[in-house]
Amino acid sequence: MGQESTASITGRFEGRVALVTGASRGIGLAVARRIVQEGGRVCVTGRKQEGLDAAVAELGGDTAMAVAGSADDPDHQDATVAAVLEQFGSLDVLVNNTGINPSYGPLAQADLGALRKILEVNVLAALAWTRKAVAAGLGAPGGAVVNIASVAGLKPAAGIGFYGTSKAALIHLTQQLAAELAPEVRVNAVAPAVVRTRFAGALFEGREAEVAATYPLGRLGAPDDIGAAVAFLASDDASWVTGQTLVVDGGLTLSGGI
Ligand SMILES: NC(=O)c1ccc[n+]([C@@H]2O[C@H](COP(=O)([O-])OP(=O)(O)OC[C@H]3O[C@@H](n4cnc5c(N)ncnc54)[C@H](OP(=O)(O)O)[C@@H]3O)[C@@H](O)[C@H]2O)c1
């Protein structure tokens, strides 16, 4: 039997501070919004200040802050973690949401420089943020990391082979870190299929009904679908869950597709 939970469903992040990378829009912003709705405070990151300003305006100046920079920049990582501790006093939840895919097509023709950048941002940066968050006290007590992977990390997909390779590595990194950081810190991942964001636009724009029809649940994902899954994994509701990848895909992988 686990511990009896007395936390209210609506206040799962009361008194907690989360850092969500790549969160000026899309999935990251939905995650940040959900954490704030459930009583938490949040720091969002992204490269462009304008998008971050809009996000903080929406999330609320008392409950949200932002630091601009690229997720794979070590100085930005250090400055962000320091700013969170200074402004909010602790760091309890890290969501490694930033992911890029600057390479499309068969791997045989892919530019190795672009592939290295994918690994830097999608895998190594997630490890670096996690190390820095843990060093900042993430586990004192009950810290949680959630990595945003992809169903593309579960099996091969045409055109996005190295993106998928990086997400497969992120899923393995999730398991490895979960084993190494237990019991102080839980580490889990979410693997979405296509979610209606700018990042995925090329996969559905102009043919959304056709793409949605390939999903057993009959629609593409919304950023809030992922926000809800991340909130579960980051909260005490998942206090006995670590090293797992929660597939949130409208049933797509059930039907054999990705
Ligand atoms: N959408 C999907 O269908 C889908 C499916 C599976 C997995 N995912 C994963 O979900 C995550 C979020 O994707 P999304 O669809 O929400 O994308 P999105 O709507 O395009 O948002 C991307 C966010 O990340 C920021 N960003 C981009 N590159 C960055 C960098 N190098 N450093 C810091 N911030 C950066 C962007 O702001 P700036 O442009 O200002 O930097 C923006 O806030 C990614 O890891 C992606 O792989 C998405």
Side-chain angles (χ1 to χ4, degrees), residues 22 24-25 27 47-48 70-71 97 99 149 163 167 193 195 197 199-200:
S24 59
R25 62 174 187 270
I27 290 169
R47 290 163 304 175
K48 299 185 199 86
S70 188
N97 171 67
Y163 171 76
K167 294 298 191 180
V195 177
T197 69
F199 177 76

Side-chain angles (χ1 to χ4, degrees), residues 94-109:
L94 169 67
V95 182
N96 285 307
N97 171 67
T98 309
I100 61 167
N101 185 26
S103 174
Y104 189 86
L107 289 183
Q109 276 108 53

Side-chain angles (χ1 to χ4, degrees), residues 75-176:
D75 292 338
H76 166 65
Q77 296 160 0
D78 290 336
T80 303
V81 171
V84 169
L85 294 183
E86 190 183 328
Q87 192 159 329
F88 289 152
S90 70
L91 178 55
D92 308 293
V93 171
L94 169 67
V95 182
N96 285 307
N97 171 67
T98 309
I100 61 167
N101 185 26
S103 174
Y104 189 86
L107 289 183
Q109 276 108 53
D111 173 66
L112 288 178
L115 303 192
R116 280 193 193 96
K117 184 70 176 174
I118 294 176
L119 277 186
E120 290 286 344
V121 175
N122 295 8
V123 184
L124 291 173
L127 173 58
W129 282 104
T130 303
R131 285 157 56 148
K132 290 172 186 186
V134 169
L138 189 77
V145 177
V146 182
N147 296 321
I148 307 302
S150 167
V151 292
L154 303 177
K155 61 183 192 179
I160 54 171
F162 204 75
Y163 171 76
T165 301
S166 75
K167 294 298 191 180
L170 186 60
I171 289 168
H172 190 90
L173 184 73
T174 299
Q175 295 176 328
Q176 187 68 36

Side-chain angles (χ1 to χ4, degrees), residues 1 3 12 24 27 46-47 114 120 159 170 194 197 211 232 244:
M1 269 300 267
Q3 292 178 322
R12 290 185 296 182
S24 59
I27 290 169
R47 290 163 304 175
E120 290 286 344
L170 186 60
V194 173
T197 69
V211 179
F232 164 67
Q244 301 305 304

Side-chain angles (χ1 to χ4, degrees), residues 62-75:
D62 293 339
T63 48
M65 60 177 285
V67 182
S70 188
D72 59 330
D73 175 353
D75 292 338

